[in-house]
Amino acid sequence: MTHTLIKNAEIITMNEKNDIIYGDLYIVGNRIAAIGKNLHPEKVDKVIDAANKTIVPGFIHTHIHLCQTLFRGQADDLELLDWLKKKIWPLEASHDEESIYYSALLGIGELIQSGTTTIVDMETVHHTDSAFQAISQSGIRALAGKVMMDKKDDDLPKALQETTADSIKESVELLEKWHNSNNGRIRYAFSPRFVLSCTEDLLREVSHLSAAYNVHVHTHASENQEEIRIVEAETGMRNIMYLDHLGLANERLILAHCVWLNDQEKQIIKNQGVKVSHCPGSNLKLASGIADVPGLLEQGVFLSLGADGAPCNNNLDMFNEMRLAATIHKPSYGPTAMNAKHVLEMATIGGAKAVGLEKEIGSLEVGKKADLAILNLNQLHTFPSYGVDPISRVVYSATRGDVELTMVDGEIVMENRVLKTIDQGI
Ligand code: GUN
Ligand code: FE
C-alpha cells in the first residue's frame, strides 16, 4: 500500500461547507487519510510538492461515447437525426475490435489529461469488450455499457442491427464480466440509445434488469425537437412520460441532454430522483438548443456535466463544458444565472451523485477515494493571484494544459503529460 503526501497545496474540497484548505493531503492506498496544515504522518513513500498549485476533486463526466473519438471532425454542421443517420451510424458500423480499443484509449487519454477521473460511457452495438479492456488498462473509473438499438430502422447499417434477445443477452454477458471489476472501479450501465432506437419490450426488460442487478441505465432523452415529435407520434406520450410509463424513471437513470422538457416532465425527473447530464457544448454544436439548467437547478434536480462524443463537441475537455455551463445562460438570465460554485459542483459532487458514488468520490474528504487533479494555475499569471476566488479561477480560467497530475483510486494515471498507459508501453 502506497503512502503519498501532497504538500502545501490550495485544496478545493467541494465538501458540504465548501472549505478551501491551504495545506497537505495524505493518501494511504486508494483513500484520503488526512487533510490539514503541516501534516507529518509516520509513513510516507512519496512526497509531491504542490506549492502554488491547486487540487480539485477529479472531474466526473456523465455522458460520453468513447467509440466516437476517432470520428472527430467527420460529422460537423448537422442536426441530430441527420448527423446520426448520415455520419455516426455508418462510422460506428465500420468499427472493429481493434479500432474500438484505440478509440477508447485515445478518448481516455484526453480525458485524463484534462483532469477527468470518472466517466459514464456509451459504446456502440459491437466490440464493447475491447472498450472495457482499454478502460481497465487506463486506470480511469467508469460506468460503461454496450449501446442497445433493437428497433428496425431502414437507415441503420447492417452491422448495427440486432434482435431484442441478442441485445439483452450481450449486455448481460458484459455486465457479468465487468460490473464491479478492477476493485470496483468499473461498473456496468445498461445503455439503450434513445427511445427512437429501442422497442418497448427492450426498454421494459432493461427496467427489470436494472432493478434486479442494481445497475444504472444511461440513455439520451429530449435532446432535439424532431426527436421528441417522433417519440410523441410513435408512443402517444412525451419522452419522459414514456420512460416513466415503462418504469425507467428512477434514481438509477442518467438522462443525457434534457433540452426540451415540459413542466410535467421536470416534475417526474425531480420527484423520482432521475439524474440529468447537461452537455452544453454538444447541444450548441448540434443546434439542439439550450437546456433550462438554472430552472432545473432551482427545482432541485440532480445535475452533472458531460462532453458527449468527440464529433458532437470536438473535444472531451471538462474545462470547456464548465465554461459553457457558466456562460451560456448569462445573456437571458443575467450574470449570476449559474455561479462558478454550482458549475464546479456539477462537474464533481453532482457527477458523483449521478453515478451513486457520492459517499466515495466527488469531493476531497477524509475516507473518500483519492480521485483528484493537481492544477498549476500560475503558469500564465504575471501577478500572484491573492484575493481571487479559487473556484471562479478553475471555472473561468483553467485549461487542460494546467493539469499536472491526475490520480484515480490513489493511483497516478497522468503526471506531467505522461500517461500511465504510455509508461506501460501500450
Ligand atoms: N441520440 C442518439 N444517439 C446519439 C448519439 O450518439 N449522440 C448524441 N448526442 N445523441 C444521440
Ligand atoms: Fe451522446
Side-chain angles (χ1 to χ4, degrees), residues 89-106:
W89 289 343
L91 286 164
E92 285 190 11
S94 72
H95 262 312
D96 59 25
E97 243 174 62
E98 206 181 36
S99 62
I100 289 268
Y101 173 79
Y102 286 107
S103 192
L105 214 52
L106 281 169

Side-chain angles (χ1 to χ4, degrees), residues 132-145:
F132 275 110
Q133 300 284 356
I135 289 168
S136 170
Q137 284 163 5
S138 70
I140 201 164
R141 194 181 296 286
L143 274 75

Side-chain angles (χ1 to χ4, degrees), residues 63 65 68 80 83-84 88-89 92 122 193-194 197 220 223 227 257 282 286 308-309 312:
H63 180 61
H65 305 255
Q68 295 176 3
L80 178 67
W83 178 84
L84 288 169
I88 296 303
W89 289 343
E92 285 190 11
M122 179 181 289
R193 186 159 213 138
F194 62 163
S197 291
H220 299 93
E223 175 175 1
E227 166 211 347
H257 304 287
S282 166
L286 293 175
D308 214 342
C312 331

Side-chain angles (χ1 to χ4, degrees), residues 60-117:
I60 300 171
H61 247 284
T62 53
H63 180 61
I64 199 133
H65 305 255
L66 292 176
C67 64
Q68 295 176 3
T69 311
L70 295 175
F71 315 152
R72 190 194 322 260
Q74 293 187 51
D76 295 338
D77 299 336
L78 289 167
E79 263 202 46
L80 178 67
L81 298 182
D82 271 352
W83 178 84
L84 288 169
K85 288 176 196 168
K86 293 186 180 156
K87 297 285 185 176
I88 296 303
W89 289 343
L91 286 164
E92 285 190 11
S94 72
H95 262 312
D96 59 25
E97 243 174 62
E98 206 181 36
S99 62
I100 289 268
Y101 173 79
Y102 286 107
S103 192
L105 214 52
L106 281 169
I108 295 167
E110 194 171 330
L111 288 157
I112 283 175
Q113 289 197 327
S114 47
T116 290
T117 52

Side-chain angles (χ1 to χ4, degrees), residues 12-30:
I12 299 180
T13 64
M14 300 309 286
N15 67 9
E16 287 248 310
K17 289 194 286 173
N18 216 23
D19 290 324
I20 312 267
I21 296 169
Y22 292 87
D24 308 339
L25 195 144
Y26 181 51
I27 297 155
V28 177
N30 66 352

Side-chain angles (χ1 to χ4, degrees), residues 227-355:
E227 166 211 347
I228 291 172
R229 192 192 62 72
I230 304 174
V231 170
E232 234 174 332
E234 288 184 358
T235 69
M237 279 178 246
R238 294 274 299 182
N239 215 340
I240 309 301
M241 267 74 124
Y242 181 62
L243 294 172
D244 187 31
H245 167 74
L246 300 177
L248 283 159
N250 58 44
E251 69 287 352
R252 290 184 307 279
L253 181 64
I254 300 173
L255 292 180
H257 304 287
C258 291
V259 177
W260 302 101
L261 302 173
N262 70 15
D263 286 346
Q264 205 182 339
E265 289 176 297
K266 288 181 187 169
Q267 277 304 316
I268 292 173
I269 287 175
K270 155 86 178 61
N271 293 342
Q272 292 166 218
V274 174
K275 312 302 193 296
V276 172
S277 178
H278 175 42
C279 305
S282 166
N283 294 341
L284 289 173
K285 187 178 167 206
L286 293 175
S288 299
I290 296 181
D292 177 23
V293 172
L296 291 171
L297 207 60
E298 201 175 293
Q299 275 192 298
V301 167
F302 290 104
L303 281 157
S304 54
L305 280 175
D308 214 342
C312 331
N313 199 319
N314 293 51
N315 79 61
L316 308 177
D317 181 339
M318 188 58 105
F319 294 107
N320 271 338
E321 294 314 306
M322 288 197 291
R323 201 117 63 236
L324 282 173
T327 51
I328 55 173
H329 304 290
K330 289 183 192 291
S332 36
Y333 284 83
T336 56
M338 288 291 298
N339 67 42
K341 176 175 159 275
H342 285 152
V343 171
L344 192 58
E345 274 171 2
M346 282 166 64
T348 57
I349 191 70
K353 288 177 184 164
V355 297

